[in-house]
Amino acid sequence: MNRYNAFIVIIETGSFTKAAEKLGYTQSAISQMVRSLEQELSTKLLLRSRKGIALTSDGEELLPYIKKLHNSYCELMEKRKEMQGLQSGIVRIGTFTSVSCHWLPKLMKDFKEHYPSVNFELHQGEYTSIAQWIKEGSVDFGFVNPDAVSDLTTIPLRQDEMLAILPSNHPLVSHEKVSLKELSNEPFILLNEGELSEPLEFFKQSNLQPNIQYRVIDDYTIMSMIENELGISILPKLVLNRINYNIIIKEISPPIVRTIGIAFKHKMALPIASRYFIDFLVQQFK
């Protein structure tokens, strides 16, 4: 299966050289793996030029199947470990910033006290990409807003209040709470969460249209932009723990909340370590 893995890593890194460094092979060995895969499939998969590498049309069409085959092989190896008992294993999780920063470190530490040989692999993304990773098997399960996914089993864990974030000298700082209508008049920095944006849903429900000036994928970048008076935003309370930006946080009236949960395809088909960790999460958030 090494040639399948090598092919995927080449696509991810955009370079034979970088793939060789990441996988611990020589560049010639990586090239030989790709040639072997192309011979097996009787087609050309990659084009190389001074600008880098690019998939051929056949390569683009075959890539999802190669990924699925590779992921299935990884699941097979995890299943073999499971049959030997929960002595080792990898829990592959799709997650977003607020959860990976403020929930997962403590949860992983507590879980490893019971199962010290279990390791974790975190894939950082947003709701849409996390759902796609779950469906294609790149992760075992993921943290999502259950409203943002379809065709997956979801378990709600906790509600998280959404709060307004303002520059320290903003006129609304004097207000005890702020309304969506007041926020809709300001330059708005939108956190890109994929196909579902919770702030946009709440604006829509109130028949309001925010003045979106920026779309950003990182919560902490947004806070830095607000500190520099580029606009205002709405962020989840969870990500606002232990921050040191010169910004003002205000409650929104009426309050708005998001739901954080986990999603997966078929629980009993997951590696045993992931099933145990899911049960552990549900118990912790009861």
Side-chain angles (χ1 to χ4, degrees):
M1 294 299 294
N2 287 346
R3 58 187 182 275
Y4 294 96
N5 187 37
F7 179 71
I8 292 169
V9 174
I10 290 168
I11 301 303
E12 291 175 345
T13 60
S15 162
F16 277 71
T17 303
K18 291 178 181 178
E21 292 173 354
K22 184 173 182 178
L23 295 174
Y25 290 106
T26 63
Q27 188 171 338
S28 61
I30 291 290
S31 298
Q32 179 57 42
M33 289 180 192
V34 172
R35 285 195 296 270
S36 174
L37 181 58
E38 289 177 332
Q39 289 171 3
E40 177 184 343
L41 298 175
S42 302
T43 189
K44 186 75 173 174
L45 298 173
L46 290 173
L47 297 174
R48 301 173 71 173
S49 68
R50 291 181 179 179
K51 294 182 180 179
I53 60 102
L55 284 167
T56 64
S57 58
D58 283 355
E60 290 182 357
E61 193 166 344
L62 290 170
L63 178 60
Y65 296 94
I66 293 172
K67 282 185 175 181
K68 186 177 291 187
L69 183 60
H70 177 258
N71 290 331
S72 295
Y73 176 76
C74 292
E75 290 174 359
L76 175 64
M77 293 298 99
E78 286 300 311
K79 188 66 177 178
R80 181 179 64 83
K81 292 179 182 178
E82 176 184 334
M83 293 171 67
Q84 297 172 347
L86 190 64
Q87 299 303 315
S88 63
I90 298 175
V91 181
R92 302 175 305 159
I93 307 172
T95 181
F96 45 89
T97 304
S98 52
V99 167
S100 60
C101 287
H102 301 291
W103 279 2
L104 277 175
K106 180 66 164 60
L107 291 166
M108 291 188 294
K109 177 184 176 182
D110 292 346
F111 188 77
K112 284 180 72 69
E113 289 180 0
H114 298 282
Y115 306 104
S117 298
V118 171
N119 295 315
F120 291 85
E121 184 178 296
L122 305 184
H123 296 246
Q124 198 90 0
E126 32 73 25
Y127 299 147
T128 303
S129 59
I130 292 169
Q132 183 59 38
W133 294 337
I134 297 168
K135 291 175 181 178
E136 70 182 21
S138 298
V139 298
D140 301 322
F141 69 95
F143 288 87
V144 296
N145 182 329
D147 294 332
V149 302
S150 60
D151 303 321
L152 292 171
T153 301
T154 59
I155 301 176
L157 296 177
R158 180 171 294 176
Q159 288 195 319
D160 185 25
E161 186 177 4
M162 308 290 288
L163 300 171
I165 317 300
L166 311 170
S168 59
N169 62 351
H170 196 278
L172 291 176
V173 167
S174 62
H175 295 208
E176 183 179 351
K177 297 181 180 181
V178 296
S179 68
L180 286 177
K181 183 172 178 57
E182 290 170 320
L183 297 176
S184 68
N185 298 322
E186 302 295 325
F188 195 83
I189 307 172
L190 180 68
L191 176 64
N192 186 356
E193 299 172 291
E195 294 177 4
L196 173 72
S197 169
E198 287 125 344
L200 289 187
E201 286 297 311
F202 289 115
F203 278 117
K204 183 178 178 181
Q205 290 170 18
S206 300
N207 295 315
L208 296 170
Q209 181 66 45
N211 178 21
I212 299 173
Q213 298 289 310
Y214 308 92
R215 295 175 183 267
V216 183
I217 61 172
D218 179 71
D219 310 75
Y220 297 102
T221 300
I222 290 177
M223 289 184 239
S224 180
M225 292 172 69
I226 294 171
E227 184 178 49
N228 284 277
E229 303 177 17
L230 289 172
I232 60 100
S233 189
I234 296 175
L235 293 177
K237 187 175 184 178
L238 181 60
V239 82
L240 298 170
N241 291 328
R242 294 180 301 177
I243 60 168
N244 56 3
Y245 295 93
N246 183 25
I247 57 178
I248 302 299
I249 300 168
K250 290 287 181 179
E251 293 183 6
I252 298 172
S253 179
I256 60 177
V257 297
R258 67 169 178 171
T259 300
I260 302 176
I262 52 175
F264 47 85
K265 284 194 295 186
H266 306 292
K267 186 179 176 184
M268 294 312 298
L270 294 176
I272 190 171
S274 294
R275 296 205 308 268
Y276 272 49
F277 191 61
I278 287 174
D279 291 339
F280 174 78
L281 288 174
V282 173
Q283 183 64 34
Q284 293 298 305
F285 284 100
K286 267 190 176 180

